[in-house]
Amino acid sequence: MHFHNHQTKKSLGQHFLHDHGVVEKIILAVAPKPGDRIVEIGPGQGALTLPLLNKHGALTAIEFDRDLLEPLTAAARDVGELTLIAADVLNVDFTTLANGEPIRLVGNLPYNMSSPILFHALNHAAAVRDMHFMLQKEVVDRMAADPGSKVYGRLSVMLQAYCEVTPLFDVAPGAFRPPPKVDSAVVRLVPRPADRIGVDDPARLAAVVRAAFGQRRKTLRNALQHVADTAMIEAAGLRPDARAEQIEVAGFIRLANLPVT
Ligand code: SAM
């Protein structure tokens, strides 16, 4: 699918997928089941939208670029029931949209906004059954990294605290028009059930993790100076002279759950 007179907008991260093999792999990974409520972020020219609609019959899609709405609506008309929301996805309240029936998020995301979109989805994790996103490969590597890895950091801890993160496959720049400068990868995120997360105060966890990785070369004792003292670090079962990149997700959760003294 190619909308002939559409002027690609770099500022909106527009790189349109044109490799049918990749589209097919994403749809196989999503594996829509009857009754699933699928919500696509950034349908663009419909590379994923139309095949998903064809397979599933109905779909909601959130697109910011108003120039794409009319051609997308026209392209979808004979394929299935497309509900288009013309909005910045960051202003869409997924909890309201889900209305008690968790949604499945899908999207080849605008790379310049991938972190805000991921954190926005996390804020609505209870309303989201799972997510399948195309992102920069480098971001997927950071999301899925384990302690000890050079790329283990705030994104790894914050996502893994709330979701199971599974990288699925890599995608080369040539699969898109125009091609991005970087490699891409598709990742699956499955929010953990609320009773399995164990984070007492999400804002506190965010503050601890931000401080710990804000100065990743420092020891925990120094990096956490303003958020937790040595006694607390020890009470969480962590070594004050360890560095943030060595601490597993559960360690950060234990520390954040301690009462602040
Ligand atoms: N899904 C299409 C594809 O695979 O070819 C387009 C993917 S393109 C990488 C990202 C899409 O997200 C574009 O259509 C862009 O206009 C849209 N977009 C960018 N910022 C957005 C935002 N804040 N809210 C919703 N959509 C946005």
Side-chain angles (χ1 to χ4, degrees), residues 165-177:
V165 181
T166 313
L168 297 179
F169 52 90
D170 297 346
V171 179
F176 306 87
R177 280 198 196 109

Side-chain angles (χ1 to χ4, degrees), residues 31-80:
K33 303 275 179 318
D36 285 354
R37 298 184 57 216
I38 300 184
V39 176
E40 187 188 358
I41 299 171
Q45 302 188 324
L48 291 171
T49 324
L50 300 174
L52 268 172
L53 205 54
N54 190 35
K55 195 168 170 67
H56 195 54
L59 193 73
T60 296
I62 303 163
E63 175 57 62
F64 184 72
D65 184 353
R66 288 175 182 273
D67 294 345
L68 292 169
L69 300 177
E70 197 225 278
L72 198 53
T73 305
R77 194 159 292 136
D78 297 327
V79 186

Side-chain angles (χ1 to χ4, degrees), residues 12-17 40-49 62-65 68 87-90 108-111 113 117:
L12 294 180
Q14 290 184 347
H15 296 277
F16 299 116
L17 250 179
E40 187 188 358
I41 299 171
Q45 302 188 324
L48 291 171
T49 324
I62 303 163
E63 175 57 62
F64 184 72
D65 184 353
L68 292 169
D88 177 343
V89 62
L90 298 181
N108 169 15
L109 298 186
Y111 293 171
M113 288 194 46
I117 294 175

